[in-house]
Amino acid sequence: QVQLVESGGGLVQVGGSLRLSCATAGRTRTTPAMGWFRQAPGKEREFVAAISWNGGSTTYADSVKGQFTISRDNAKNTVYLQMNSLRPEDTAVYYCYAAPKLAAVVAGTSGSWGQGTQVTVSS
């Protein structure tokens, strides 16, 4: 079982940027695919972005394409989410997620969750 610890959330003004980090710990047989989800108040958790185990493939929710970028540094066991041009509707708790395959990350199945980090965009 992999442990995930997010950081980098906070309060930012509209149009600002933040970079979230997710550090992984624990032993796994293979390097997992990783992703980010978010949950706004009163809404269901939704997929944001995912990246394959070697960073060769990425996928994004339509709502963040061109605005967010997911990347990873396997030497540091860390995945990042660069968020630019932030809007009030990006306000949410952001969760890191790890699963064996990219498709499982996108579906939010068969994986492990981090504890979440709050992102608040003020207007």
Side-chain angles (χ1 to χ4, degrees):
Q1 187 81 1
V2 62
Q3 290 82 47
L4 308 173
V5 179
E6 302 99 331
S7 61
L11 176 64
V12 63
Q13 292 188 332
V14 169
S17 298
L18 281 175
R19 188 177 78 159
L20 305 182
S21 298
C22 174
T24 65
R27 298 180 61 182
T28 57
R29 290 195 302 170
T30 59
T31 302
M34 304 287 294
W36 291 92
F37 287 71
R38 66 185 180 185
Q39 187 167 19
K43 295 187 177 181
E44 293 189 355
R45 192 172 299 187
E46 65 175 1
F47 168 76
V48 175
I51 188 167
S52 61
W53 72 274
N54 63 354
S57 296
T58 58
T59 186
Y60 297 90
D62 287 343
S63 59
V64 303
K65 282 181 181 177
Q67 182 190 4
F68 291 3
T69 302
I70 189 170
S71 62
R72 67 189 299 162
D73 184 343
N74 286 345
K76 297 182 178 180
N77 295 321
T78 302
V79 174
Y80 305 98
L81 185 68
Q82 179 66 44
M83 306 186 294
N84 297 327
S85 303
L86 285 163
R87 305 165 294 195
E89 52 264 42
D90 295 316
T91 295
V93 177
Y94 283 72
Y95 296 91
C96 183
Y97 188 72
K101 300 293 184 182
L102 186 63
V105 172
V106 176
T109 59
S110 306
S112 303
W113 294 97
Q115 84 287 353
T117 185
Q118 176 71 47
V119 171
T120 303
V121 184
S122 65
S123 57

